Amino acid sequence: MVNENWEPKMKGVLDILPEEIVDFEEQVARFQAGDWNPNDFMAFRLRQGIYGQRQPDSQMIRVKAPYGGITAEQMDTLGEFAEKYTPLKKGHVTTRENFQFHHVPLADTPAIMRLIGDVGLSTREACGNTVRNVTGCPMAGVCENEPFDVTPYAAAYARYFVRHPFTQSLPRKFKTSFSDCEADCAISGIHDMGFIPKIVDGEKGFEMITGGGTSIMPRIGQTLFDFVPMEEYLKVTEAVIRIFHQTDELRKNRMKARIKFYIDRIGIEEFRSQVEHELKKDWANKSFDPTALLFIEDESQLAPDLDGNYRAGSEPAFEDWCESNVRAQRQSGYNVASIKLPLGDVKSDQFHSIANISRKYSGGRMRLTHQQNIALRWVPDRALYEVWMKLEELGLGDSGVHEISDVVSCPGTDSCKLGITSSMGLGNSISKMISEMDTSDQHIKNMHIKMSGCPNGCGQHHVADIGFHGAAAKGPGGQIPAYEVFVGGSFDNGDTRIGQRVKTKVPAKKVPEALGKILNHYKDFRENDEQFKDFVVRMGPESFEPLLSEYKEIPDLNRESLDMYMDWTKTVKYQVERGEGECAV
């Protein structure tokens, strides 16, 4: 029985409850003493953001960053976390704008919760069948095209639904995004609930989009309401979540329990009718004005002096970096400068260095992005060269943010129980390939390459120009690691499309070669300024099948072909080892 009179509590962006950590510590001890049913404990720890890995006795810790917001102090603490508690001495930025840390013993997790809690960071409901981290656009508050800054309202949403009684055991997870303008940089279309800000007759509010998602049966979300006033966006979302919570039919098959399946079956018109009916019930009569929940922080008060004494300079690599990694803010003289992280990874010492750069050049504030990068805000024009030089010293001065070289990957078999292939290994190989190829063709440069280690789509491969997800293929000598290929996806400028599958599996070790063939095919047969996604629509995904047909024949296992029977970064013959995933627990 849920508490209908529940009200949220808060201290920071998300409230940190010391007693909750004490309880978690006690429950960990109980579990390790054999007093908890493993499945019940799993559901409990997932709500605390602690996720089991494929390696025995290892946990992945997922740290939420609502709307992607991170401070310099928090970065320092995360660097301490990586150095002290992770054997690989690194963290990983995800496409959901979380930080993940891998290979952590369960016994260490309460101490980690206290460490990050002291700087206002939480793992609460970062996993499990809950409302997950709320993602946002790194330009929110500084974009020249935004109707208003969505940051305070994204934070209010995160505050309202964390620990909410209807979000503790949903049929499946519930993902949310807040974009800052009609360009929809946060990709509303692939979320359970997406918000695009609008002002109608002088009143702030949102277009609300629901029913999107990738993974099995990818769907683009549909507009639930064209405009919902600011005083009601939490109420309307709660109505959606209440309906989702009550759909017992979804609980019968957790693999098909996302809200997109329900909306796809009954249609958006019927679902809208159900939401309108839910809004007439007694629970909806109270005020849902978000004012008391808003997270208000005037970053401009922390911004560096525009006339500061900064080192000046100019060279080709810096100019390239400015062209791809820097966007001017609507606040004259300031910029958002993005740090291109290799496949989202940050080393423990880099956490501290980025924190120091942020303190000096961006007011100690930054945002994580769904491209697995970090965006420094409020960087003065005159400081850009000095910032780039500092990043170069860290090995993070590469240009190419949001371009073809900005490759995205989930962790794959490096840690995930559901992983089929080493997507990170493939990501590194493709990144190396792209760094060595000519990308002066602007249409090639503007493409996006993404990969996931399984069909679930944590690497968002469905919306890439060219996407890959891990699969297994059968050869004469046994299984080989392979990838399904998707072409024509999109997520730029409000045009969200799901890529179409090419009906040919490609052996993992041949994917870079296959990628080259696809790019050459596009260059040879496109019309004028035709973008790749439109090229795919005109040509059809079947036009790519002859290019990849040679990969259908798997050679016999021998010394010459052994490499094809091993995955990237691996030294043993491939065999699918897929555990029971925890996402649907």
Side-chain angles (χ1 to χ4, degrees):
M1 184 68 179
V2 296
N3 177 12
E4 295 281 348
N5 298 316
W6 175 87
E7 293 290 346
K9 298 178 181 179
M10 58 187 180
K11 293 179 181 176
V13 175
L14 291 180
D15 192 29
I16 311 299
L17 303 182
E19 63 272 22
E20 191 171 82
I21 301 175
V22 170
D23 178 63
F24 182 75
E25 188 169 38
E26 292 173 349
Q27 302 314 316
V28 167
R30 282 188 58 213
F31 170 71
Q32 292 181 324
D35 295 335
W36 260 89
N37 175 283
N39 286 335
D40 291 342
F41 179 75
M42 185 188 304
F44 170 75
R45 68 166 160 76
L46 285 170
R47 284 194 295 273
Q48 315 305 319
I50 313 301
Y51 198 96
Q53 294 187 189
R54 63 169 48 220
Q55 295 83 4
D57 304 319
S58 290
Q59 311 295 316
M60 178 270 285
I61 315 300
R62 183 176 288 154
V63 182
K64 295 170 80 171
Y67 60 82
I70 288 287
T71 69
E73 182 185 23
Q74 289 169 344
M75 284 292 284
D76 271 330
T77 297
L78 293 174
E80 181 182 348
F81 175 2
E83 176 64 33
K84 186 174 180 180
Y85 293 103
T86 68
L88 299 180
K89 311 297 183 188
K90 69 175 185 178
H92 177 76
V93 176
T94 77
T95 56
R96 298 291 312 150
E97 298 175 5
N98 299 291
F99 266 113
Q100 290 184 173
F101 298 84
H102 296 90
H103 308 286
V104 179
L106 180 61
D108 288 341
T109 54
I112 291 167
M113 289 178 174
R114 292 188 177 97
L115 175 70
I116 64 172
D118 286 344
V119 292
L121 289 173
S122 176
T123 63
R124 176 74 196 203
E125 291 159 50
C127 306
N129 298 319
T130 62
V131 173
R132 298 289 188 86
N133 189 46
V134 178
T135 63
C137 173
M139 295 295 292
V142 299
C143 175
E144 62 181 359
N145 298 318
E146 66 183 17
F148 57 88
D149 182 5
V150 301
T151 302
Y153 305 99
Y157 180 102
R159 288 172 161 179
Y160 184 80
F161 286 108
V162 72
R163 302 183 182 90
H164 191 289
F166 279 96
T167 66
Q168 301 308 292
S169 185
L170 293 168
R172 283 289 262 112
K173 55 193 172 184
F174 194 88
K175 296 181 178 180
T176 308
S177 68
F178 279 78
S179 287
D180 69 318
C181 69
E182 291 185 350
D184 194 19
C185 296
I187 329 180
S188 300
I190 62 170
H191 286 80
D192 298 282
M193 183 64 71
F195 295 87
I196 299 176
K198 289 185 174 182
I199 295 179
V200 176
D201 296 330
E203 184 176 19
K204 292 180 180 178
F206 294 100
E207 177 183 354
M208 293 182 63
I209 295 170
T210 191
T214 56
S215 188
I216 300 172
M217 197 189 82
R219 288 291 184 271
I220 301 298
Q222 303 174 70
T223 297
L224 179 62
F225 295 111
D226 288 320
F227 182 76
V228 173
M230 193 62 67
E231 292 75 16
E232 297 183 1
Y233 81 108
L234 295 176
K235 178 168 69 175
V236 173
T237 303
E238 181 164 338
V240 170
I241 287 175
R242 282 172 177 256
I243 293 169
F244 184 35
H245 186 275
Q246 295 160 12
T247 51
D248 289 338
E249 64 188 86
L250 295 179
R251 299 181 189 274
K252 296 175 183 177
N253 183 356
R254 287 290 177 96
M255 295 304 295
K256 293 185 177 181
R258 296 289 293 276
I259 198 171
K260 66 180 179 180
F261 292 98
Y262 184 64
I263 293 174
D264 190 71
R265 183 176 65 79
I266 68 172
I268 191 65
E269 297 294 337
E270 171 60 22
F271 186 72
R272 184 181 299 115
S273 177
Q274 290 184 12
V275 171
E276 290 170 341
H277 177 74
E278 184 69 29
L279 289 168
K280 295 176 182 177
K281 296 182 178 179
D282 289 344
W283 69 266
N285 290 332
K286 70 176 184 179
S287 171
F288 284 81
D289 186 332
T291 301
L293 294 169
L294 298 180
F295 178 74
I296 305 294
E297 182 179 58
D298 187 354
E299 291 185 359
S300 67
Q301 298 298 311
L302 305 169
D305 187 351
L306 287 174
D307 298 321
N309 183 23
Y310 303 109
R311 180 180 176 183
S314 180
E315 53 193 271
F318 168 65
E319 298 300 330
D320 289 344
W321 181 80
C322 285
E323 182 179 353
S324 62
N325 294 36
V326 178
R327 288 182 62 184
Q329 298 183 187
R330 61 181 171 82
Q331 294 87 359
S332 180
Y334 289 104
N335 305 271
V336 176
S338 293
I339 304 172
K340 184 181 173 185
L341 302 175
L343 301 180
D345 282 352
V346 185
K347 299 175 184 176
S348 57
D349 58 335
Q350 290 175 333
F351 277 100
H352 300 297
S353 297
I354 293 170
N356 289 333
I357 291 171
S358 176
R359 286 187 180 94
K360 183 172 181 181
Y361 304 104
S362 66
R365 296 295 183 273
M366 63 203 88
R367 301 281 174 104
L368 308 184
T369 80
H370 63 67
Q371 280 290 114
Q372 301 180 307
N373 295 317
I374 293 176
L376 303 173
R377 294 148 60 92
W378 300 96
V379 179
D381 290 341
R382 296 176 60 180
L384 286 170
Y385 183 76
E386 198 167 306
V387 168
W388 175 71
M389 290 292 290
K390 295 287 187 183
L391 292 174
E392 277 282 275
E393 292 171 6
L394 290 179
L396 296 175
D398 287 352
S399 58
V401 160
H402 214 63
E403 296 179 350
I404 192 169
S405 64
D406 195 7
V407 175
V408 168
S409 174
C410 71
T413 54
D414 285 3
S415 58
C416 181
K417 289 183 180 181
L418 290 175
I420 298 173
T421 55
S422 175
S423 48
M424 290 289 275
L426 176 62
N428 279 312
S429 177
I430 287 180
S431 295
K432 183 176 184 296
M433 168 198 166
I434 293 172
S435 71
E436 296 171 352
M437 64 182 275
D438 179 10
T439 56
S440 58
D441 182 324
Q442 196 63 40
H443 290 290
I444 297 292
K445 180 182 288 188
N446 290 340
M447 291 174 64
H448 302 295
I449 311 295
K450 299 173 182 282
M451 61 214 62
S452 304
C454 78
N456 286 333
C458 295
Q460 296 183 345
H461 65 273
H462 295 87
V463 294
D465 288 282
I466 304 175
F468 304 97
H469 83 58
K474 181 180 286 188
Q479 291 181 322
I480 68 164
Y483 283 84
E484 300 276 6
V485 182
F486 295 77
V487 293
S490 173
F491 61 93
D492 282 333
N493 300 315
D495 181 13
T496 304
R497 304 184 192 181
I498 299 295
Q500 301 181 66
R501 186 171 70 89
V502 180
K503 296 179 181 179
T504 304
K505 287 183 182 179
V506 178
K509 291 295 179 67
K510 295 293 184 178
V511 170
E513 179 183 298
L515 174 61
K517 288 188 174 188
I518 293 171
L519 293 175
N520 287 331
H521 179 60
Y522 169 52
K523 286 191 287 187
D524 291 343
F525 295 100
R526 75 179 181 218
E527 294 181 350
N528 301 319
D529 289 331
E530 188 175 42
Q531 295 182 62
F532 184 78
K533 60 187 177 183
D534 298 322
F535 174 80
V536 171
V537 171
R538 179 171 63 84
M539 299 289 286
E542 62 276 4
S543 70
F544 296 89
E545 291 175 18
L547 300 176
L548 309 179
S549 60
E550 68 178 270
Y551 302 122
K552 292 182 179 179
E553 297 297 324
I554 309 300
D556 291 330
L557 177 60
N558 53 46
R559 286 187 177 183
E560 287 71 30
S561 66
L562 178 60
D563 187 58
M564 192 178 292
Y565 284 82
M566 295 189 293
D567 207 348
W568 291 101
T569 73
K570 310 302 179 183
T571 58
V572 296
K573 184 174 176 292
Y574 176 78
Q575 180 70 36
V576 173
E577 296 178 2
R578 205 173 191 218
E580 183 178 347
E582 298 187 355
C583 291
V585 171

